[in-house]
Structures are given as structure tokens and as C-alpha cells.
Amino acid sequence: MKKTGVMNSNISRVIADMGHMDWLGVGDAGTPVPAETEKIDLSVRPGLPSFIDVLEEVLKELEVQKIYIAEEIKTENPKQLEAIKKTLPNVEIEFIPHSELKKDLKTSKAFIRTGEETPYSNVILESGVNFLIN
């Protein structure tokens, strides 16, 4: 039995399979997930688990070099944007239209659905490497 880190076997498997520049989505309960993208559904009830709680746990195991967030979060959910920036203080952020983010989930390894019910609580994580590239 695994002692530490992400206990969900599907999330753990996806993270272990990530390569440099692969994508992993994490988001709210309302995000439409493309049929070709694996959906790992963690939602239990509204708000449980929260987007930030799940994101924080994923980041304990996944090296992230860049994130993609919906442009709309700036005006529609600035509190969540600040929480994301606090959780990933040294990671490049690229803002894209929400419609594009939803389309981009097609090329993600997986999407982790949380119980979050605040708008635009979605992110695509681009994996980095934990060693120097020359």
C-alpha cells in the first residue's frame, strides 16, 4: 500500500506516465471533458474536494513548467486566480480563452474533475523536468 503522496491510483498512474511537456488538466465539476480524454472524477458533493486542494496534492508529485488558464478567470473569479498564483508562484502562466482551454483538453493525458463549483476553476498543467536540460 502506498504510504505518501497522491493515493488515487488513477492520478498516481497518470502522473508517473507524464513526460516533458505533457498536459494534465485539473478543474471544476462543470468542465466538459472530451470523450478521448481520460476523466478521473473525484467529485463527492458540491465543493468536495476543492480545486485548490486537489491541485496542491498533484503538485507534490508533478514537476510543472507552465500552466494554461482561462482568460475569463481574471474578471469572473479573481480570488481563484490569486490562489492559483500562490500555489504556483514561479510557474509561467499563459491565459487563453475558456473555449480554447476546453478544446485543448483533447490533448491532455487526463482531466481530474473536482467538486469545485466556482467559475473558471480550471488549469492545464504542462509538465517540466526535474533535472537540468543543456
Side-chain angles (χ1 to χ4, degrees), residues 1-58:
M1 182 172 170
K2 190 172 181 181
K3 289 173 55 175
T4 61
V6 176
M7 298 301 287
N8 181 287
S9 59
N10 291 318
I11 296 172
S12 188
R13 172 186 45 80
V14 169
I15 291 171
D17 192 45
M18 297 283 287
H20 186 214
M21 299 183 76
D22 281 344
W23 286 2
L24 174 62
V26 179
D28 60 49
T31 304
V33 182
E36 58 268 38
T37 302
E38 178 182 359
K39 178 170 70 173
I40 302 170
D41 194 343
L42 302 181
S43 61
V44 176
R45 64 169 168 76
L48 185 66
S50 77
F51 167 77
I52 288 296
D53 285 343
V54 173
L55 180 61
E56 287 174 344
E57 290 306 309
V58 168

Side-chain angles (χ1 to χ4, degrees), residues 17-24 62-66 68 92 94 104 107-109 124-130 133:
D17 192 45
M18 297 283 287
H20 186 214
M21 299 183 76
D22 281 344
W23 286 2
L24 174 62
L62 180 65
E63 183 70 29
V64 174
Q65 67 182 18
K66 184 176 182 178
Y68 299 85
E92 178 185 354
E94 184 172 330
D104 286 345
T107 56
S108 293
K109 290 267 189 183
I124 293 176
L125 308 169
E126 182 177 283
S127 63
V129 293
N130 58 355
I133 300 175

